[in-house]
Amino acid sequence: MLRDDDTLFTALIARDPSYEGFAYVGVRTTGIFCRLTCPARKPKRHNVVFFSCKDAAQDAGFRPCLRCKPLDIRRPTSGALETLRDRIKAEPDRRWSAEDVKALGYDPSTVRRAFQREYGITFAQYARSQRLGLAVNTLQQGGSVMDAQLDAGYESSSGFRDAISKLIGDAPIRTPARQVLTAQWLDTPIGAMLTVVDDAGVHLLEFAERKALPTEIERLRKRVGPICFGQHPMLDTLAHQVEQYFAGRSITFDVPVVQKGTAFEATVWDALRRIPAGATRSYGEIARFIDRPDAPRAVARANGANQVAIIVPCHRVIGADGSLTGYGGKIWRKQWLLEHERRLAATFSKG
């Protein structure tokens, strides 16, 4: 149900992302409709009308904004970000400089801020992580340390070893003998997510803005093994299922989840996966479901320890009073996910 116009106008002024995909604004003076997060200059209150979906806006005669592109499934990002991300994917072994960025017509400081907003790291760090991932793949396939070092663009072997050690916690000379977890970024309509996988399944799937992400990565390194950016068949499967979920074409995941935790945490995580999409449960309800009615606080801690977002749906847990309570990926995303799933569940139940 569409919220009242005053609430939506307040969200428009604040560019509130929690209404992404669920509310659109039409500007009568221009005949254009936008996302509430559109960066364009905000219209006056009496010149706007709100719609619950883009089809309704178009049916009313409004044209889609060319700046915020409300017809696209994914929210628009910086043109520089998209271009450079595609260039890195096409040339993962390239060592990028500020002059290279300028040659493409972009300001290096603008590019730096765009990557920090989307991924929490700079463009240089993003490019280096992909380059080092390629180098580790070379080592995993039996290549020499020197070949991997040159592939990564390092003239100094000590510099290369330091970089690899920081990335995966192991010296290159020993890497081929160990299982290396593979990391990659996934883009979604509500922000970038970091995922870590191996042959067994998904170990981590978190939004880039989650404050606990560095701690979770360190815990994963200690419990399972070193981590490296790269490509992996499990990543392809996960990326496809995540895309289908956000596009509204699927409400379930069948990719295996292998995150490590205590027996109690594993029991809670299993209970989370039993909450139907479109529904919510309180901590107390989950505690009773697992026959631990005295342990709602422990359930809350286990819920917070989950590091495979969406698939293990910790966002479906709310307070006993119905409040959304805390969510590491930010409350507005929790609200967005719940509304997205309510609509998906309603759609699939009709089908």
Side-chain angles (χ1 to χ4, degrees):
M1 181 181 294
L2 193 64
R3 301 292 295 274
D4 65 89
D5 286 2
D6 289 338
T7 298
L8 292 174
F9 188 73
T10 299
L12 172 66
I13 298 302
R15 295 178 183 169
D16 186 345
S18 62
Y19 292 91
E20 189 70 27
F22 305 128
Y24 299 86
V25 59
V27 184
R28 294 189 177 98
T29 52
T30 62
I32 290 173
F33 79 95
C34 305
R35 303 168 188 263
L36 301 195
T37 55
C38 184
R41 182 179 177 181
K42 300 306 177 186
K44 294 181 179 179
R45 174 70 179 82
H46 61 269
N47 288 331
V48 301
V49 58
F50 294 97
F51 301 94
S52 61
C53 65
K54 48 197 171 188
D55 289 342
Q58 289 183 297
D59 289 344
F62 289 89
R63 305 184 310 278
C65 173
L66 296 178
R67 189 166 183 182
C68 68
K69 300 178 180 179
L71 297 183
D72 291 356
I73 293 176
R74 292 182 179 177
R75 64 191 177 117
T77 55
S78 162
L81 186 148
E82 292 186 355
T83 298
L84 289 169
R85 192 173 54 201
D86 289 344
R87 292 293 294 269
I88 290 172
K89 186 175 181 180
E91 304 175 78
D93 56 344
R94 179 171 179 175
R95 195 172 188 181
W96 290 83
S97 67
E99 294 304 316
D100 293 329
V101 174
K102 289 180 182 178
L104 291 174
Y106 300 118
D107 174 57
S109 61
T110 300
V111 167
R112 179 187 179 90
R113 289 193 296 271
F115 273 82
Q116 284 181 318
R117 279 196 304 270
E118 190 70 10
Y119 300 109
I121 56 176
T122 66
F123 167 65
Q125 290 170 325
Y126 182 95
R128 185 163 59 246
S129 69
Q130 302 299 312
R131 194 166 65 244
L132 287 170
L134 183 67
V136 171
N137 287 341
T138 298
L139 291 171
Q140 291 289 94
Q141 294 167 13
S144 71
V145 172
M146 180 60 72
D147 288 340
Q149 172 188 322
L150 295 176
D151 285 344
Y154 285 85
E155 296 179 2
S156 163
S157 60
S158 61
F160 173 64
R161 287 171 182 271
D162 288 345
I164 290 286
S165 296
K166 289 178 182 178
L167 185 65
I168 66 173
D170 201 9
I173 196 69
R174 297 193 299 272
T175 296
R178 296 189 62 187
Q179 172 69 33
V180 179
L181 300 173
T182 305
Q184 196 50 267
W185 294 102
L186 300 181
D187 296 305
T188 82
I190 56 175
M193 301 187 79
L194 178 69
T195 185
V196 178
V197 306
D198 65 7
D199 293 341
V202 181
H203 290 265
L204 181 143
L205 178 64
E206 290 281 25
F207 287 103
E209 292 179 88
R210 180 171 168 84
K211 291 183 178 180
L213 188 55
T215 302
E216 291 179 341
I217 291 173
E218 184 60 29
R219 183 189 307 131
L220 193 56
R221 282 174 171 161
K222 291 179 178 178
R223 289 182 175 180
V224 185
I227 304 169
C228 170
F229 279 85
Q231 301 301 319
H232 192 286
M234 190 66 70
L235 282 173
D236 298 334
T237 300
L238 175 62
H240 174 72
Q241 293 189 14
V242 168
E243 181 181 12
Q244 293 291 300
Y245 169 85
F246 278 104
R249 291 189 285 268
S250 176
I251 203 168
T252 59
F253 293 88
D254 59 18
V255 63
V257 172
V258 289
Q259 68 170 328
K260 306 294 184 181
T262 65
F264 182 81
E265 287 173 336
T267 299
V268 172
W269 297 337
D270 180 65
L272 296 180
R273 301 193 73 174
R274 295 173 185 268
I275 304 173
T280 57
R281 299 287 186 273
S282 69
Y283 297 117
E285 287 174 321
I286 293 176
R288 290 190 291 274
F289 178 79
I290 64 173
D291 294 325
R292 290 291 305 275
D294 59 335
R297 290 186 179 180
V299 166
R301 288 193 294 271
N303 190 69
N306 171 47
Q307 55 189 39
V308 181
I310 302 176
I311 301 176
V312 179
C314 53
H315 62 275
R316 295 178 192 164
V317 182
I318 60 174
D321 60 355
S323 61
L324 294 186
T325 69
Y327 183 62
K330 296 196 173 180
I331 289 294
W332 73 263
R333 284 197 179 91
K334 182 169 186 170
Q335 180 180 340
W336 192 99
L337 292 169
L338 291 175
E339 179 62 25
H340 178 63
E341 291 180 349
R342 276 193 288 267
R343 294 194 177 198
L344 281 182
T347 299
F348 282 102
S349 64
K350 292 177 182 178

